[in-house]
Amino acid sequence: MSQDLVQACMQGDPSARKQLIEQHYSPFMAMARRYAKNNEQADTFFHHAFIYVFKQFTEYKNENDFDGWMKENFLCSVVQQLKNCKAEYYVTTTTRIDESKKERTDLFHQAELENVNDLPAEDYIKALQQLPASFRTMYNMFVIEQYAFDRISVMLEVSESSAQNTLERAKNQFAKNLQMHLHGYA
Amino acid sequence: MLDKIPTYRIDESALRSKLLNYKVEVNATECSAIEQEVAAMRFKKTITLPKINLRVLVPALLIVALTTVVCFNLDTIKDLFSAAPETKIENKVSLPVTQPVVTTQTVAAIPVPTPTLENIIPATDHALLLKKQDSILAANKKADSLKLAAAKKAIPVIAPPPSDSVAKNNTISKQDTAVQKTDTPVKKKKKRRRRSAALEDIKQSTLQENSADDDVVVPQ
């Protein structure tokens, strides 16, 4: 069905175009919100990334997983847009080693746990949006999209070790953000 | 204080499923904006050049270059390079081309003497006849009269012998003038010599004691 939809879109069928956009609006907008620092930025990310995906239709070779192909292209565009915001993306990546060592707390292997699954998705998204751009990107790509480190390192143009380090700090910061969001302190 | 704060364990799989299933309400305006932008797009496949390995391409280009050098000879290429600097123009200031000014001078027409009866000098024999004839005939008569007048004026007069300057300018009688030139100074020299010889003789005679009795004739 998706292949027919793509072919119809390429031939200039307006109904097919509208159907495709509405069908993919919700999941892709949710993805854009996870990667952006706020909903406004998410809107711009979504718009540009969606146009980029449409431009890439000529490269689509009737693959079975159209949604996967579309998601990958969308993510590539979003990551590129994040990189273009150099002031946001690259400043936060440089942190002192001593500071990072001090802040290391094993939040993910605590004995006493509290179930946070009952929290609404908006709270998680807000906690994610409060992360620095590089942390946010790393967390999303590894935890949510479940990309491997080698692939992440290629996409973000960083070494695997630095990607692992960034992920560790991103997880730590995300937990702190959640605490702040729930209790008002870290 | 820290003991009371619960530590959170984030279930990543649960979080992942939650975030992936998160749905956003469709924004109609955003959808229409994207739709309009996509409608303007053209889905035509661009021509992509085949990927050629440089390791293959570079030697091939070198071979082609060498063959061209061999075919065209090195001399011709050298000539090209040698000729090139000569043709260089080094900031030549191009002067504005001055078009030749064509001045149309109105040449005054040479006044043709109109035959009038006043100018006619009638001959005594044909005086009555001329008055009756046309002006053309009269003009002929006038022309004849003018010719006669000119002939009278052009009566050869025996000119005085040309001076040296005139002789020099006269190209026709070069030989004669040359002879004259050569003759005149020789004669003068001879005269001078004669005079000088005479003077010397007088001086010698005056200097001599016995010369007082001699008659002295001083040539003039």
Side-chain angles (χ1 to χ4, degrees):
Chain A
M1 185 200 169
S2 58
Q3 287 179 10
D4 297 334
L5 204 64
V6 170
Q7 289 296 324
C9 279
M10 285 176 74
Q11 285 169 6
D13 187 4
S15 62
R17 207 184 301 133
K18 191 177 181 180
Q19 191 185 342
L20 191 78
I21 292 163
E22 285 178 354
Q23 195 177 326
H24 292 90
Y25 182 88
S26 182
F28 285 120
M29 181 56 91
M31 189 195 271
R33 282 187 182 178
R34 277 190 278 121
Y35 281 87
K37 64 177 179 183
N38 51 37
N39 289 352
E40 286 76 28
Q41 195 182 36
D43 287 343
T44 54
F45 280 2
F46 173 79
H47 185 90
H48 291 294
F50 219 84
I51 298 296
Y52 175 77
V53 170
F54 268 101
K55 281 178 183 172
Q56 294 296 312
F57 272 177
T58 51
E59 302 294 321
Y60 180 64
K61 295 171 184 175
N62 295 325
E63 291 164 6
N64 292 325
D65 188 12
F66 173 73
D67 291 336
W69 175 85
M70 203 167 168
K71 186 182 171 184
E72 196 171 331
N73 279 300
F74 187 88
L75 184 62
C76 278
S77 176
V78 167
V79 168
Q80 195 59 46
Q81 286 178 70
L82 271 166
K83 279 184 179 177
N84 289 340
C85 304
K86 288 177 183 175
E88 292 176 18
Y89 189 78
Y90 289 104
V91 170
T92 51
T93 54
T94 53
T95 51
R96 289 180 181 177
I97 296 163
D98 299 336
E99 196 179 325
S100 64
K101 278 179 182 175
K102 278 179 189 175
E103 286 177 356
R104 276 183 188 176
T105 49
D106 198 1
L107 286 167
F108 305 101
H109 300 94
Q110 291 285 339
E112 292 178 7
L113 305 171
E114 192 168 315
N115 194 6
V116 291
N117 290 336
D118 296 332
L119 287 168
E122 284 83 5
D123 292 342
Y124 287 109
I125 288 168
K126 278 180 183 175
L128 274 171
Q129 285 179 349
Q130 285 169 0
L131 287 172
S134 57
F135 290 5
R136 197 190 317 134
T137 311
M138 190 62 71
Y139 192 87
N140 271 304
M141 289 179 87
F142 187 80
V143 176
I144 313 297
E145 264 75 51
Q146 290 192 321
Y147 284 166
F149 274 117
D150 56 348
R151 197 174 177 188
I152 292 167
S153 63
V154 170
M155 284 180 82
L156 300 179
E157 294 173 320
V158 291
S159 64
E160 285 188 31
S161 59
S162 67
Q164 287 171 5
N165 189 28
T166 308
L167 178 67
E168 193 180 342
R169 285 190 283 158
K171 282 179 176 177
N172 191 11
Q173 189 67 40
F174 180 62
K176 281 184 179 180
N177 288 349
L178 271 177
Q179 281 182 357
M180 263 183 76
H181 185 70
L182 289 168
H183 298 282
Y185 54 85
Chain B
M1 182 76 180
L2 285 168
D3 295 335
K4 288 177 184 176
I5 300 163
T7 51
Y8 294 96
R9 180 182 175 274
I10 299 161
D11 189 358
E12 289 178 354
S13 61
L15 179 69
R16 182 174 175 270
S17 62
K18 198 166 219 177
L19 289 174
L20 288 174
N21 292 321
Y22 174 66
K23 288 182 179 177
V24 182
E25 288 181 5
V26 177
N27 189 355
T29 52
E30 180 66 24
C31 283
S32 63
I34 292 165
E35 204 178 330
Q36 283 176 2
E37 204 163 331
V38 169
M41 283 163 59
R42 290 179 181 178
F43 298 102
K44 283 182 181 177
K45 283 188 177 180
T46 53
I47 299 160
T48 52
L49 291 165
K51 288 178 182 176
I52 301 162
N53 196 358
L54 283 172
R55 286 180 183 178
V56 179
L57 189 70
V58 169
L61 282 169
L62 281 169
I63 290 159
V64 168
L66 284 167
T67 47
T68 49
V69 166
V70 170
C71 288
F72 287 102
N73 290 328
L74 283 167
D75 296 331
T76 52
I77 292 159
K78 280 177 183 176
D79 292 338
L80 284 169
F81 282 111
S82 63
E86 289 175 3
T87 55
K88 278 183 180 178
I89 299 161
E90 294 176 356
N91 299 325
K92 275 191 176 178
V93 179
S94 61
L95 292 166
V97 179
T98 54
Q99 290 182 347
V101 179
V102 180
T103 53
T104 52
Q105 288 182 346
T106 53
V107 179
I110 298 158
V112 179
T114 51
T116 54
L117 291 168
E118 290 173 359
N119 293 328
I120 296 164
I121 304 160
T124 51
D125 298 338
H126 304 285
L128 293 167
L129 204 148
L130 279 167
K131 280 179 183 176
K132 289 175 184 176
Q133 282 177 348
D134 295 334
S135 61
I136 298 159
L137 287 167
N140 287 329
K141 286 284 176 187
K142 186 206 167 187
D144 292 336
S145 65
L146 286 167
K147 279 178 184 176
L148 285 166
K152 282 177 183 175
K153 283 179 182 176
I155 291 162
V157 179
I158 298 159
S163 63
D164 292 345
S165 59
V166 174
K168 282 175 187 175
N169 292 328
N170 195 359
T171 53
I172 297 160
S173 60
K174 269 185 179 179
Q175 289 178 349
D176 298 339
T177 51
V179 171
Q180 283 174 359
K181 279 177 186 176
T182 50
D183 290 342
T184 48
V186 170
K187 284 175 183 176
K188 283 178 182 176
K189 279 178 183 177
K190 281 177 181 176
K191 283 177 182 176
R192 281 174 189 171
R193 280 176 188 171
R194 282 172 189 171
R195 284 177 185 175
S196 61
L199 285 166
E200 280 174 2
D201 291 337
I202 292 156
K203 283 176 184 177
Q204 282 176 1
S205 61
T206 50
L207 287 169
Q208 285 175 2
E209 292 176 355
N210 297 323
S211 63
D213 298 330
D214 294 338
D215 295 327
V216 179
V217 178
V218 178
Q220 291 179 351

